Every structure is written in structure tokens, then in C-alpha cells.
Amino acid sequence: SMNMDPTPEELAQITLNATECVKMFGINPKVALLSFSTKGSGGKSPDIDKVLKAAEIAQKQDKESIIDAEYQVDAAVNPKAAKSKCPDSPLKGEANTLVFPNLTASNIFVHGLGQFSDMTLDFTIMRGLVKPVGVLGRSTPLDSVRNIIISCAMQVNSNLGGKK
């Protein structure tokens, strides 16, 4: 929500922030940096180079998580599609964390998903800032606002080592 078109270095930091968040929930991150291409299918492009470089930087800093790049959504989250499109993928279609190349792609995805499914987007967790931040949209339901407040309070409590 804060960086419309991140550089590879910024995208790597966004990736690392996402892995931190996933680890907070006790989940081992399996991160796919998304693209319009899967493992070279789109040819050469600066957009592909950006996600590849970001994944390389992030993986060097977080050797515990699986972080890999250049996936279309289906190859990232669908084992059958991954087997067909990228059989040597370390993610094997089991990504649990998706990193979008820019704000345009992420907003199109999440708002489209919300329109074509019964999915409820509760809240966005911002990482990498000094204090917790929740992102509200104009149409955020009251229950989601409550959940954002609770999430931010939990992060504050966590940052204080459990002290009030």
C-alpha cells in the first residue's frame, strides 16, 4: 500500500517483511514472487528481472524460508499447474505467501478476487514500520475495522515483549 512500483531491493524487503509476518502465525513461509510469466515462459523483460533479483536478495537474507520467483498465480498455488509449468520448482505449487511486483497488480488481484468469490478481506498488515499500521478501505466492514484494531494492539503488545 505504500510503494506503488518498488525497486528489486525494495521488493526484496517487502518479501522479507511478508516472511516475518507469516512466521508470526507459526507458519513456515513458502514465498512466490509473482509475474506475468512462469520460469522463463514470458521471455525477457525488466519486470521479470525485477522479481528474480528481489527473490535472490531475499533468499540470501532468509535462508530458512523457501523464496522463489517468477510465477504466475496458478503455478504458485496449484500443484497440478506447477507440475506442468515448472516441475523443478522448490514451491511445487504450494506457496502460502504471494508477493506482487507492484501495487497495481496486487490491487487488481485482491479486488477482483473479492468480486468473483465469497472471500472476505479482513485487513492488511503493514510490516517494516516503527509502529503497527492497519490499512482501511472506504468499504471496509465494521467487523474488519475491529480486527485491524485487535491486530495492531497485538503487534504493540508483542513489540513490548508482552509488557503493557
Side-chain angles (χ1 to χ4, degrees), residues 36-132:
F36 65 87
S37 171
T38 297
K39 297 297 182 183
S41 68
K44 299 272 184 203
S45 164
D47 292 332
I48 294 170
D49 293 341
K50 177 168 90 168
V51 296
L52 290 170
K53 183 173 183 184
E56 180 183 332
I57 293 167
Q59 188 68 72
K60 284 180 183 175
Q61 293 184 42
D62 181 353
K63 297 189 186 317
E64 295 175 8
S65 302
I66 299 173
I67 301 171
D68 201 24
E70 196 196 350
Y71 289 93
Q72 293 168 312
V73 173
D74 61 336
V77 300
N78 182 324
K80 187 175 180 179
K83 189 174 183 179
S84 170
K85 290 182 167 188
C86 50
D88 297 328
S89 162
L91 294 171
K92 303 192 181 324
E94 298 176 348
N96 57 24
T97 307
L98 304 177
V99 176
F100 291 83
N102 56 46
L103 186 57
T104 298
S106 63
N107 267 1
I108 289 169
F109 178 83
V110 76
H111 288 279
L113 192 59
Q115 295 304 306
F116 293 110
S117 74
D118 61 356
M119 166 203 100
T120 301
L121 175 64
D122 253 346
F123 53 88
T124 299
I125 298 172
M126 302 292 288
R127 299 292 299 164
L129 303 173
V130 174
K131 295 183 179 183

Side-chain angles (χ1 to χ4, degrees), residues 15 18-19 22 27-33 76 91 94-99:
T15 301
T19 62
V22 172
I27 299 169
N28 294 324
K30 296 178 183 177
V31 184
L33 279 82
L91 294 171
E94 298 176 348
N96 57 24
T97 307
L98 304 177
V99 176

